[in-house]
């Protein structure tokens, strides 16, 4: 077999290894990701538990890099402390090393079992959790199969006249071998895959143990680089934990490399065979780093923070687009018509903010992260600030002598401002809680249930625009349309609830799991719509178009 064909087979086997590793990771993330993240957040306060939690999560995700990025984002959002986060990532490196050990056993019998069971599970049901579990099984089967393919593909290399020359050169130049392994691992974007390849080649007698350990150390350095490169576009605080992990792994790998070069320690205690020695050396290295991390994590985290701060751009003055201007001119208070116009402009700005909040909240039901949640909460804070400022301004206006029309307009603006503030509170204090509950429990709406929610939300957003137009134009026909929409939405809510309860009676699993979130969200949207619709009442009442609290026929 020619060398090019051998390399082609080896490349295909490595590609399958990378694909299978990713398949397992994405399956676990989709099926259990939210549960794992929630559990991880709750145990990271204890240093030892942080290490154990990181190791467990890396075993589940088949990737220490994924854990580093996840924990880095938690630390950047202030959900977990930086020191605990760094310990969790060091624990993830240990977990990744244990994955290599697990895959080194003879698991060939699992290949047909995992492929058959996983495929059957994936094809036989529409349940999301079962389909993802089937995906995980197929990924595990392909992962084990790829290791066997790497061994078979590398078998002809025994007879290669070039390989001994390359191995001898790398053995005599451990620094080059170390750097090549780091680059290879970064290209693979998986330290597990890189080390499994080294172990597979060593099992065929193609790599001596001394060179193998150098390559393993280089792979550890490359594994640390991956997370740093993938997080380079994140906010500075989220980059500190991956960089701290790279500092620990890089320093440790260089120190271990120097020990191998200058002291040539005995390696028999690591195992009876070369593959065992490489795997056990990999585990021992990462376990030692985790133990050293307990006293040193705080120091390394502070160092990484300073390095990130050096590379962060200097704070720039706020842009004109981000500058908040206020229309509440104190000099206009003695001219009520101008003061009320100023107040109207400011209330319209609150309307715009509330409209943005309404549009963004439904997006969080699909994909929520802490940055988006924080941004929505910040918008509510802005509404609260403007609400307080407008009420104070209008209170000063009412202390002047006002005409009857100006007094009524003043009360109308105060009422509208209060209702807008209540809408913001419902979005943040109620609907954000539903979002958090949905993702903490890993729940999914049924397709029909989600269509009902989005249709209801779309109607509420449309009615919000009508309400804001009424506030400015005071057009009676728009006000009448808004109140009619309130009645239509009441009927839509009844139909949605009936449809939801029918799905519950049929025993649809997703409907049962998401029942309270579905109903509570509809209720909150209905309450928001009622508050917005009531902004039309002053216009209708002024024109004699209200009968009690109901719209007169006409």
């Amino acid at each position: 077999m020619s060398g090019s064909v051998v390399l082609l087979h080896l490349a295909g086997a490595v590609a399958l290894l990378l694909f299978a590793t990713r398949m397992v990771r994405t399956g676990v993330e989709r099926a259990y990701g939210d549960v794992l993240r929630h559990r991880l957040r709750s145990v990271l306060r204890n240093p030892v538990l942080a290490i154990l939690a990181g190791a467990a999560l890396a075993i589940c995700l088949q990737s220490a890099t994924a854990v580093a990025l996840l924990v880095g984002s938690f630390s950047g959002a202030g959900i977990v402390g930086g020191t605990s986060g760094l310990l969790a990532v060091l624990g993830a490196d240990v977990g990744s090393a244990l994955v290599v050990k697990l895959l080194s056993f003879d698991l060939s019998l699992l290949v047909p079992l995992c492929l058959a069971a996983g495929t059957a599970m994936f094809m036989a049901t529409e349940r999301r959790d079962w389909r993802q579990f089937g995906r995980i099984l197929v990924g595990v089967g392909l992962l084990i199969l790829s290791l066997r393919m790497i061994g078979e593909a590398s078998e002809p290399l025994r007879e290669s006249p070039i390989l001994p020359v390359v191995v001898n050169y790398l053995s005599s130049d451990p620094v080059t071998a170390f750097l090549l392994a780091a680059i290879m691992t970064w290209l693979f974007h998986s330290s597990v895959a890189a080390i499994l390849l080294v172990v597979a080649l060593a099992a065929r007698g193609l790599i001596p143990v001394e060179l193998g350990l150098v390559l393993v150390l280089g792979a550890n350095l490359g594994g640390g680089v991956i997370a740093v490169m993938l997080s380079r576009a994140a906010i500075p605080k989220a980059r500190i934990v991956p960089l701290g992990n790279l500092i620990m792994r890089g320093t440790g790998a260089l120190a271990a490399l120097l020990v191998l070069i200058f002291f040539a320690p005995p390696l028999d205690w690591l195992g009876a065979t070369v593959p065992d020695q490489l795997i056990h050396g990999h585990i021992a290295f990462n376990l030692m780093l985790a133990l050293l991390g307990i006293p040193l994590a705080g120091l390394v985290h502070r160092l990484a923070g300073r390095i990130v701060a050096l590379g962060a751009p200097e704070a720039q003055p706020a842009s004109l687009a981000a500058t908040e201007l206020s229309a509440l001119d104190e000099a206009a208070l003695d001219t009520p018509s101008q003061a009320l116009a100023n107040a109207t402009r400011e209330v319209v700005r609150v309307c715009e903010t509330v409209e943005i909040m309404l549009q963004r909240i439904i997006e969080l039901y699909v994909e929520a992260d802490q940055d988006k949640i924080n941004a929505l909460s910040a918008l509510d804070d802005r509404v609260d600030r403007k609400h307080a400022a407008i009420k104070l301004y209008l209170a000063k206006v009412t202390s002047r002598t006002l005409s009857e029309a100006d007094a009524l307009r003043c009360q109308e603006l105060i009422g509208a401002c209060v209702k807008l503030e209540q809408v913001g509170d419902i979005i943040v204090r109620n609907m954000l809680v539903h979002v958090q509950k949905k993702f903490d429990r890993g729940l999914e709406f049924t397709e029909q249930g989600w269509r009902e929610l989005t249709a209801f939300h779309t109607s509420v957003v449309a009615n919000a625009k009508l309400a804001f137009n009424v506030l400015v134009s005071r057009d009676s026909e728009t006000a009448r349309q808004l109140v009619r929409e309130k009645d239509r939405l009441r009927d839509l809510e009844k139909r949605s609830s009936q449809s939801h309860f029918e799905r519950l009676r049929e025993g649809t699993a997703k409907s049962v799991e998401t029942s309270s979130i579905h109903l509570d969200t509809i209720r909150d949207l209905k309450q928001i719509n009622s508050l917005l619709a009531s902004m039309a009442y002053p216009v209708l009442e002024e024109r004699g178009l209200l009968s009690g609290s109901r719209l007169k026929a006409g």
Side-chain angles (χ1 to χ4, degrees), residues 258-483:
L258 293 176
V259 170
L260 286 177
I261 293 174
F262 293 108
F263 297 98
L267 303 175
D268 295 342
W269 62 275
L270 290 174
T273 64
V274 172
D276 284 344
Q277 290 172 348
L278 297 183
I279 293 170
H280 295 161
H282 179 45
I283 295 173
F285 171 76
N286 284 284
L287 189 58
M288 183 63 69
L289 285 184
L291 293 175
L292 289 173
I294 294 177
L296 296 178
L299 177 64
V300 173
H301 183 264
R302 288 192 293 272
L303 174 62
R306 289 174 183 171
I307 294 173
V308 169
L310 289 175
E314 294 184 6
Q316 299 294 326
S319 65
L320 292 177
T323 303
E324 282 193 42
L325 299 176
S326 175
L328 304 178
D329 183 8
E330 298 279 337
L333 287 173
D334 291 328
T335 309
S337 60
Q338 291 184 19
L340 289 174
N342 290 339
T344 300
R345 285 172 55 196
E346 201 68 7
V347 173
V348 167
R349 288 175 177 171
V350 177
C351 291
E352 294 170 351
T353 303
V354 169
E355 184 177 350
I356 293 172
M357 293 175 69
L358 264 176
Q359 291 172 342
R360 288 186 180 175
I361 185 62
I362 202 67
E363 298 171 3
L364 294 179
Y365 277 78
V366 178
E367 182 180 358
D369 60 49
Q370 196 60 42
D371 290 339
K372 292 180 181 178
I373 291 173
N374 292 341
L376 194 64
S377 298
L379 290 178
D380 185 52
D381 292 339
R382 183 193 300 177
V383 171
D384 291 342
R385 289 195 304 271
K386 287 188 175 292
H387 167 246
I390 292 169
K391 283 203 304 183
L392 180 60
Y393 187 79
L394 290 174
K396 294 177 181 179
V397 173
T398 57
S399 66
R400 271 67 171 177
T401 302
L402 301 178
S403 66
E404 182 178 355
D406 286 344
L408 290 174
R409 179 59 172 170
C410 191
Q411 292 302 315
E412 181 182 353
L413 290 174
I414 291 175
C417 201
V418 169
K419 293 178 179 68
L420 291 169
E421 194 263 346
Q422 291 173 339
V423 169
D425 286 344
I426 292 171
I427 292 172
V428 171
R429 298 180 184 176
N430 294 2
M431 298 182 73
L432 269 185
V433 172
H434 308 329
V435 167
Q436 197 67 54
K437 181 178 177 182
K438 176 180 181 291
F439 281 91
D440 284 347
R441 299 183 181 181
L443 303 178
E444 293 290 340
F445 292 111
T446 62
E447 184 177 346
Q448 183 179 354
W450 180 241
R451 280 202 306 268
E452 292 171 359
L453 278 181
T454 51
F456 202 92
H457 172 265
T458 300
S459 297
V460 173
V461 172
N463 290 346
K465 295 177 180 178
L466 288 178
F468 304 154
N469 289 340
V470 168
L471 183 66
V472 177
S473 69
R474 309 195 83 250
D475 177 62
S476 59
E477 186 53 41
T478 305
R480 287 171 63 89
Q481 181 184 352
L482 181 58
V483 175

Side-chain angles (χ1 to χ4, degrees), residues 115-125:
L115 292 178
T119 302
M121 198 174 295
F122 189 87
M123 301 288 289
T125 179

Side-chain angles (χ1 to χ4, degrees), residues 86-108:
L86 181 54
L87 287 172
V89 176
L90 292 173
D93 296 333
V94 176
S96 177
L98 294 176
V99 169
V100 175
K101 176 62 179 177
L102 180 64
L103 294 174
S104 69
F105 295 117
D106 183 8
L107 304 173
S108 57

Side-chain angles (χ1 to χ4, degrees), residues 102-118 137-138 140-148:
L102 180 64
L103 294 174
S104 69
F105 295 117
D106 183 8
L107 304 173
S108 57
L109 186 60
L110 289 179
V111 173
L113 289 176
C114 288
L115 292 178
L137 289 179
V138 172
V140 170
L142 293 177
L143 186 59
I144 300 169
L145 178 62
S146 68
L147 296 176
R148 190 168 70 194

Side-chain angles (χ1 to χ4, degrees), residues 32-314:
Y32 312 109
D34 293 308
V35 176
L36 291 172
R37 292 183 187 100
H38 180 70
R39 297 286 173 83
L40 183 65
R41 287 198 298 259
S42 63
V43 300
L44 285 184
R45 296 177 181 85
N46 182 293
V48 176
L49 288 180
I51 292 174
L52 295 176
L57 193 59
I59 291 172
C60 293
L61 296 176
Q62 303 277 292
S63 172
T65 300
V67 179
L69 295 174
L70 175 63
V71 175
S73 67
F74 284 168
S75 178
I79 297 174
V80 301
T83 301
S84 297
L86 181 54
L87 287 172
V89 176
L90 292 173
D93 296 333
V94 176
S96 177
L98 294 176
V99 169
V100 175
K101 176 62 179 177
L102 180 64
L103 294 174
S104 69
F105 295 117
D106 183 8
L107 304 173
S108 57
L109 186 60
L110 289 179
V111 173
L113 289 176
C114 288
L115 292 178
T119 302
M121 198 174 295
F122 189 87
M123 301 288 289
T125 179
E126 293 298 322
R127 289 188 57 181
R128 181 176 180 272
D129 51 349
W130 284 103
R131 286 173 66 88
Q132 294 306 326
F133 189 66
R135 178 190 182 93
I136 294 168
L137 289 179
V138 172
V140 170
L142 293 177
L143 186 59
I144 300 169
L145 178 62
S146 68
L147 296 176
R148 190 168 70 194
M149 289 175 61
I150 288 174
E152 294 173 353
S154 60
E155 184 66 27
L157 293 176
R158 289 174 182 267
E159 309 301 326
S160 171
I162 299 176
L163 185 63
V165 177
V166 174
V167 170
N168 288 335
Y169 172 76
L170 293 177
S171 297
S172 63
D173 188 359
V175 174
T176 299
F178 177 80
L179 294 176
L180 283 176
I183 295 171
M184 179 184 70
T185 303
W186 177 73
L187 291 174
F188 283 1
H189 269 46
S190 171
S191 60
V192 172
I195 292 172
L196 284 173
L197 176 60
V198 172
V199 171
L201 295 175
R204 300 283 169 170
L206 301 175
I207 296 177
V209 63
E210 293 81 5
L211 176 59
L213 283 175
V214 170
L215 295 175
V216 166
L217 292 173
N220 275 277
L221 173 63
V225 171
I226 296 169
V228 171
M229 296 300 293
L230 292 178
S231 64
R232 65 187 183 278
I235 61 173
K237 286 185 178 180
R239 303 202 304 266
I240 295 175
V241 167
L243 179 59
N245 180 54
L246 175 59
I247 291 172
M248 290 287 293
R249 292 181 82 175
T251 304
L254 286 173
L257 178 65
L258 293 176
V259 170
L260 286 177
I261 293 174
F262 293 108
F263 297 98
L267 303 175
D268 295 342
W269 62 275
L270 290 174
T273 64
V274 172
D276 284 344
Q277 290 172 348
L278 297 183
I279 293 170
H280 295 161
H282 179 45
I283 295 173
F285 171 76
N286 284 284
L287 189 58
M288 183 63 69
L289 285 184
L291 293 175
L292 289 173
I294 294 177
L296 296 178
L299 177 64
V300 173
H301 183 264
R302 288 192 293 272
L303 174 62
R306 289 174 183 171
I307 294 173
V308 169
L310 289 175
E314 294 184 6

